Amino acid sequence: MPADERTHRHVPPEGSHRHPRADPLADLRTPQDPPWDVFLTGTVFLDVIFTGLDSAPVRGTESWARGMGSSPGGIANMATALARLGLRTSLAAAFGDDHYGDYCWDALSRGEGIDLASSRTVPGWHSPVTVSMAYEGERTMVSHGHEPPPEEPSPDCPPGARAAVASLTPGLSAPWIARAAARGTRVFADVGWDDTGAWDLAALPDLAHCEAFLPNAEEAMRYTGATCPRAAAHALTAHVPLAVVTLGADGAYAVDRRTGESAEVPAIEVEALDPTGAGDVFVAGFVTGTLAGWPLADRLAFAGLTAALSVQEFGGSLSAPGWREIATWWRKVQSLEDQDPAALSRYAFLADLVPDDLVTPAPWPLRRAVPTIGFRPPTP
């Protein structure tokens, strides 16, 4: 589709439900529901990921990677993860007026069924690009891009949604967050590294409109001055009803001020191919469980599982698991003889969530990151 058409109108996604999807909110849906389950806004990057590096690149030398993938990145990571878990997802983002932008738009709208009615193509603006290098269980990223015009896109009046995910920036306020919360949208917030070094919660004014805050352990301790992440989670509940602190290889810990409930779930040990976007997938899993009304511990376990499945694939967005992958994992771990019964019981809630017809030995058509984009169709 020409870029000028995409700038002015939304085209319904074609083939967006090619593969079966479970609907975790099926029992909760009513005719009075808002049109979308989750609204997001942010920057879409074109991610180029190198994996299979033996070590970090060394200055003055050339390193060869054994694997490479390309996929939409940035806010596309979380949007895709939400959509693949069956949530009706709407994204407001600026897209580059170039081949990368066309590819990202098509991958999200037609490939994943994400609503882009609030998104725009910015004429003459090139897509931001991130190169990510994965090695030794970590990643190093180099990014390039320019700010789009401030009016592109404008999320000041977000569409109605059950929930929204917001990335808070120290010292800045996004008016759409307060407007969404006033309309009954449940806002889940994460935050990036505070480059100012202040680590002052007062510099996050939009936190007052949020239902949940999901920092990592280091961020939580710096913001609260606590000496351990669990104490930091409790301290954060003075500012937001629900605090979820990710603990890396140790899993996650959460505290709900409204119920007095706390929960901790260990991480699932997997061999990670690429950790890009794992945090976004974790948030998507937690939001899904929260909207579905699951117990706090189940939400943490599900979020950790989806993140663990994602790091075994290339790329941030297209590594996100769908329900068929979740079902396949659940059937597989039950069949292994050396499983710890206590650990297995932590995921017993999946038995009522994964339909039997999603389990199949055949590959399913989830899009994955590929080394290049824009292949020409075969000549007839």
Side-chain angles (χ1 to χ4, degrees):
M1 176 182 300
D4 57 348
E5 277 190 74
R6 292 195 285 115
T7 302
H8 298 292
R9 68 183 181 89
H10 171 61
V11 177
E14 297 176 3
S16 61
H17 296 284
R18 290 193 306 272
H19 52 86
R21 296 171 186 250
D23 182 357
L25 307 185
D27 295 338
L28 304 176
R29 297 196 184 281
T30 71
Q32 292 73 42
D33 287 342
W36 305 109
D37 295 326
V38 186
F39 170 77
L40 308 94
T41 184
T43 303
V44 173
F45 287 72
L46 187 281
D47 279 357
V48 179
I49 307 101
F50 293 104
T51 66
L53 290 163
D54 294 324
S55 62
V58 178
R59 180 179 178 181
T61 67
E62 181 178 16
S63 299
W64 279 82
R66 291 187 291 274
M68 175 184 169
S70 301
S71 66
I75 193 62
N77 296 342
M78 195 176 300
T80 300
L82 289 162
R84 289 187 172 186
L85 292 176
L87 298 188
R88 300 168 184 173
T89 303
S90 180
L91 171 64
F95 285 78
D97 185 20
D98 52 17
H99 182 64
Y100 289 170
D102 291 343
Y103 161 72
C104 290
W105 184 289
D106 179 78
L108 298 177
S109 178
R110 297 181 184 274
E112 304 298 335
I114 295 167
D115 170 68
L116 299 180
S118 299
S119 293
R120 297 290 184 270
T121 293
V122 182
W125 182 65
H126 76 76
S127 298
V129 176
T130 292
V131 175
S132 177
M133 293 165 282
Y135 53 87
E136 299 173 355
E138 298 292 341
R139 60 177 178 156
T140 297
M141 298 185 294
V142 178
S143 298
H144 172 72
H146 303 280
E147 289 292 328
E151 70 275 8
E152 299 285 357
S154 176
D156 287 347
C157 298
R162 296 172 187 263
V165 181
S167 183
L168 305 183
T169 301
L172 297 178
S173 180
W176 73 265
I177 296 176
R179 294 191 180 102
R183 294 169 57 182
T185 297
R186 304 166 70 177
V187 183
F188 297 74
D190 62 11
V191 68
W193 191 257
D194 187 354
D195 291 328
T196 69
W199 298 101
D200 182 5
L201 285 168
L204 302 176
D206 291 328
L207 194 60
H209 307 294
C210 297
E211 173 174 331
F213 187 40
L214 298 94
N216 63 34
E218 185 66 21
E219 292 161 348
M221 290 188 291
R222 286 178 179 266
Y223 271 117
T224 62
T227 56
C228 82
R230 293 160 188 82
H234 285 274
L236 286 171
T237 60
H239 304 271
V240 66
L242 177 59
V244 181
V245 176
T246 54
L247 309 175
D250 292 329
Y253 182 80
V255 182
D256 191 330
R257 181 186 71 204
R258 297 162 299 189
T259 64
E261 183 182 12
S262 64
E264 182 169 357
V265 174
I268 298 174
E269 292 186 12
V270 296
E271 185 175 346
L273 173 66
D274 175 21
T276 303
D280 296 320
V281 176
F282 179 94
V283 173
F286 188 83
V287 170
T288 299
T290 301
L291 293 183
W294 302 347
L296 185 57
D298 291 353
R299 286 180 264 166
L300 282 184
F302 184 76
L305 169 60
T306 55
L309 293 176
S310 76
V311 301
Q312 298 177 82
E313 299 286 348
F314 277 114
S317 62
L318 302 186
S319 70
W323 280 101
R324 182 172 285 170
E325 290 168 305
I326 294 166
T328 300
W329 177 86
W330 174 234
R331 307 304 183 204
K332 180 178 178 180
V333 295
Q334 292 181 89
S335 69
L336 300 178
E337 296 180 356
D338 59 347
Q339 287 292 343
D340 177 3
L344 197 61
S345 68
R346 174 61 271 154
Y347 298 90
F349 67 95
L350 291 174
D352 295 327
L353 294 174
V354 290
D356 291 335
D357 61 0
L358 288 185
V359 182
T360 172
W364 49 89
L366 287 182
R367 286 193 179 189
R368 295 299 184 197
V370 294
T372 189
I373 59 177
F375 272 122
R376 296 180 180 86
T379 303

